[in-house]
Amino acid sequence: MNPISTATANTGTLQVPGASLYYEVRGAGPLVVLVGAPMDADSFAAAADLLASDYTVVTTDPRGIHRSPVDDRERDSTPEMRADDLARILTHLDAGPAAVFGSSGGAVSALALVQAHPELVHTVVAHEPPLDELLDDREELRVKTDDIIDAHLSGDVVGAWRKFLALANIHLPEEVFQQMFAGERDAQTEADDYFQHAHMLRPTTRWCPDVAALRSVTTRVLVGLGEESGGQLCDRTSRALAAELGIEPTLFPGGHIGFAEDPASFAPRLRVVLREG
């Protein structure tokens, strides 16, 4: 894992309905937003540092995660709510329209943003969105997702993560799994994990994109896919979305979180993709 540096980042908070959003701004130039869900701004810091040489890069903690507290922690965080949050950040910064790179749940947030506010986004890269509802086995996926959530909320956090990775078809060496999920974890990580399972996972994976709207907007809509993600659930959902949109997936180095695992390879690829537009 690459070290995280936020030395060049200016930080801010924005009050929005039901939450206080933490965000960081780096660099100068055209506006690029890097967003995840549940991944926070720290996960994108290394890639943001690399892109900041020629872009103004915005990263943020999604509502309910890390430094973005919500007023009601028992309320779901939906893609529409997170899209509205992003729209408010972009409007607050007054530097758009922007290019938005969204990863995983953040890709779903970014697609919802384009549907609601296409005028704020000139390019969106939806990198491996977990859009289970686009797949033929959606009913089975709903059942397995509910099982993951139930396991986590019952206190079996390690078991929930084993089920999650099995469903995602992501295979980790046992020692890596133990280090990530079975060892001692700090209170913030536990709180973020709980919020993700209790209030983000279900509304995110069951969100249905408005394909007609996405095809009709002037926003350039791309579906990102990791070169090493073959056979994984998000490979399937990404290819399904691309097929619905009538486009080919745009390949990026690495797997589901290639931007975090190898930002030195990922950032140049994203720079090329953005310049192609």
Side-chain angles (χ1 to χ4, degrees):
M1 185 70 70
N2 289 267
I4 291 173
S5 170
T6 56
T8 60
N10 295 313
T11 66
T13 58
L14 180 66
Q15 297 299 316
V16 300
S20 176
L21 301 178
Y22 171 88
Y23 66 89
E24 298 176 354
V25 183
R26 292 169 171 80
L31 185 61
V32 176
V33 180
L34 307 179
V35 62
M39 298 188 88
D40 63 7
D42 291 349
S43 305
F44 294 91
D49 284 346
L50 294 171
L51 291 168
S53 60
D54 44 1
Y55 290 99
T56 299
V57 186
V58 177
T59 57
T60 183
D61 294 355
R63 62 168 52 224
I65 297 296
H66 201 174
R67 294 153 293 195
S68 290
V70 290
D71 297 343
D72 181 1
R73 286 192 63 82
E74 296 307 312
R75 185 183 183 189
D76 283 352
S77 168
T78 67
E80 289 85 359
M81 293 167 66
R82 300 195 301 270
D84 185 69
D85 291 342
L86 292 173
R88 290 173 185 273
I89 290 175
L90 290 173
T91 301
H92 173 70
L93 294 174
D94 193 26
V100 178
F101 174 89
S103 172
S104 194
V108 181
S109 307
L111 292 169
L113 172 64
V114 172
Q115 290 182 189
H117 297 283
E119 74 282 359
L120 296 178
V121 186
H122 66 77
T123 300
V124 64
V125 182
H127 186 263
E128 301 206 4
L131 298 172
D132 294 357
E133 294 298 304
L134 296 181
L135 301 178
D136 291 340
D137 57 341
R138 64 183 71 88
E139 293 185 6
E140 179 183 353
L141 294 172
R142 289 178 204 145
V143 171
K144 290 183 176 180
T145 298
D146 287 345
D147 186 42
I148 292 167
I149 294 168
D150 290 343
H152 191 105
L153 300 189
S154 72
D156 185 10
V157 175
V158 173
W161 277 111
R162 286 197 186 278
K163 292 173 184 288
F164 179 91
L165 292 173
L167 181 59
N169 202 25
I170 295 175
H171 305 285
L172 297 177
E174 181 61 22
E175 62 272 19
V176 174
F177 177 88
Q178 291 289 330
Q179 180 181 10
M180 293 179 65
F181 302 115
E184 185 175 347
R185 312 174 86 202
D186 61 54
Q188 186 63 59
T189 298
E190 290 181 350
D192 290 348
D193 269 4
Y194 178 88
F195 191 80
Q196 146 74 353
H197 284 89
H199 299 296
M200 297 179 74
L201 184 57
R202 186 180 288 115
T204 297
T205 57
R206 294 188 185 176
W207 186 78
C208 294
D210 185 337
V211 173
L214 293 173
R215 294 187 70 158
S216 66
V217 295
T218 58
T219 304
R220 178 178 172 232
V221 179
L222 303 176
V223 179
L225 182 59
E227 293 174 336
E228 298 175 10
S229 297
Q232 296 178 4
L233 177 57
C234 282
D235 173 84
R236 295 171 57 210
T237 56
S238 299
R239 292 185 184 278
L241 176 62
E244 292 279 354
L245 295 173
I247 61 177
E248 290 295 321
T250 299
L251 297 181
F252 285 86
H256 190 60
I257 55 170
F259 57 88
E261 293 176 331
D262 188 7
S265 297
F266 201 94
R269 174 57 177 154
L270 180 56
R271 187 179 280 111
V272 168
V273 169
L274 295 178
R275 286 177 177 169
E276 287 174 348

